[in-house]
Amino acid sequence: MGKWLLFFVLFSVLHVVGQVQVDSINEDSRYFEDQFYLGVTYNIVRNRPDGVAQQNLSYGLQVGFIKDLPLNGRGTRALGIGLGLGLNTYYSNLLAAEGQNGISYSLGDSTTGFKRSKLETHSVEFPLEFRWRNSTLEEYKFWRLYAGIKAAYLFGARSTAIIDGARTGFNNTDVERFQYGLMLNVGYNTFNIHVYHALNDLFSEGVTVNNQIIGFSPLRIGVIFYIL
């Protein structure tokens, strides 16, 4: 259902872009806020099974470029279509182990020498923003509210753990490769608050620990910097 909703939103956006009349935009006042962006977030894991707790500092990094498409003559409304890279980490007591029968999961316990575990993902991201701002052709410091959706493809995921002082790790294939969610960026000038709310789980359907679906649905809160 969520994937179809995302496709519908993307189709609607392309339809809106197609309806924008170029001759209705005053060429003397039109400008493009094409921007590079850099973001840092704290990652909160929702939809966790009983007994799974976050540990340490789960963080995320994102970097990319957004193309600006003005929707009115003053440039105060626009669409932003981007391409970027994301790295996200999730520290918890969820211990993943690779065996001959696949990947199994358990809850780490300090009595067994468990210290910490981490799931790290690498992704290509495709943000799509509806942009509202009070900028002008001459003013580069302005208030903005950018809301939209972000799709991502996870091209890499790795589970690591430290047990009895030894580090182990392997490429985890139990993740849902296609990720999508809602995002909001609001702020002034270069500094902006960033929020991302995932609409699907990080782990694939049917992956369990102690007979419970693992899920893992990220909520990321942090800052994002736009650089012209």
Side-chain angles (χ1 to χ4, degrees):
M1 179 65 181
K3 292 182 180 179
W4 287 110
L5 176 61
L6 181 63
F7 292 150
F8 174 77
V9 172
L10 289 173
F11 175 80
S12 299
V13 169
L14 293 176
H15 178 72
V16 170
V17 173
Q19 294 300 313
V20 174
Q21 297 296 321
V22 176
D23 58 2
S24 67
I25 299 178
N26 188 336
E27 294 290 346
D28 294 332
S29 62
R30 186 172 64 170
Y31 60 94
F32 299 88
E33 289 289 344
D34 297 340
Q35 295 163 321
F36 291 96
Y37 65 88
L38 173 66
V40 181
T41 60
Y42 172 65
N43 297 339
I44 302 170
V45 177
R46 301 174 297 111
N47 193 26
R48 303 191 306 264
D50 296 337
V52 175
Q54 283 195 253
Q55 298 176 335
N56 300 78
L57 178 63
S58 300
Y59 64 90
L61 301 173
Q62 56 179 314
V63 62
F65 176 78
I66 291 188
K67 175 64 179 176
D68 192 81
L69 301 173
L71 296 179
N72 65 343
R74 294 183 299 162
T76 55
R77 288 183 292 145
L79 289 178
I81 301 177
L83 176 65
L85 295 173
L87 180 151
N88 289 283
T89 64
Y90 307 92
Y91 288 90
S92 72
N93 63 338
L94 180 67
L95 179 61
E98 188 178 36
Q100 293 182 346
N101 297 322
I103 304 173
S104 61
Y105 297 87
S106 61
L107 300 183
D109 192 313
S110 59
T111 61
T112 62
F114 172 84
K115 184 175 182 181
R116 65 174 179 268
S117 67
K118 177 181 72 171
L119 175 66
E120 180 176 299
T121 65
H122 301 261
S123 61
V124 179
E125 300 183 334
F126 308 93
L128 175 63
E129 300 176 343
F130 294 86
R131 299 177 145 197
W132 292 270
R133 59 206 177 203
N134 64 349
S135 60
T136 66
L137 185 60
E138 296 81 15
E139 181 58 57
Y140 296 101
K141 296 181 179 180
F142 53 87
W143 289 97
R144 63 165 57 85
L145 191 156
Y146 296 168
I149 58 177
K150 180 190 289 185
Y153 178 78
L154 303 187
F155 61 84
R158 185 170 180 83
S159 288
T160 59
I162 297 180
I163 302 176
D164 290 330
R167 182 187 298 272
T168 61
F170 61 93
N171 294 326
N172 195 321
T173 58
D174 278 345
V175 297
E176 188 68 42
R177 296 291 181 180
F178 182 65
Q179 296 287 310
Y180 52 93
L182 304 176
M183 65 177 181
L184 176 67
N185 303 319
V186 58
Y188 178 75
N189 197 18
T190 304
F191 182 85
N192 302 269
I193 301 298
H194 171 78
V195 179
Y196 171 85
H197 180 278
L199 296 178
N200 66 332
D201 289 334
L202 187 57
F203 279 91
S204 300
E205 185 177 353
V207 179
T208 63
V209 59
N210 295 339
N211 296 319
Q212 298 182 73
I213 299 295
I214 294 179
F216 271 42
S217 183
L219 172 65
R220 303 176 194 142
I221 302 175
V223 293
I224 187 168
F225 302 93
Y226 288 102
I227 306 168
L228 291 175

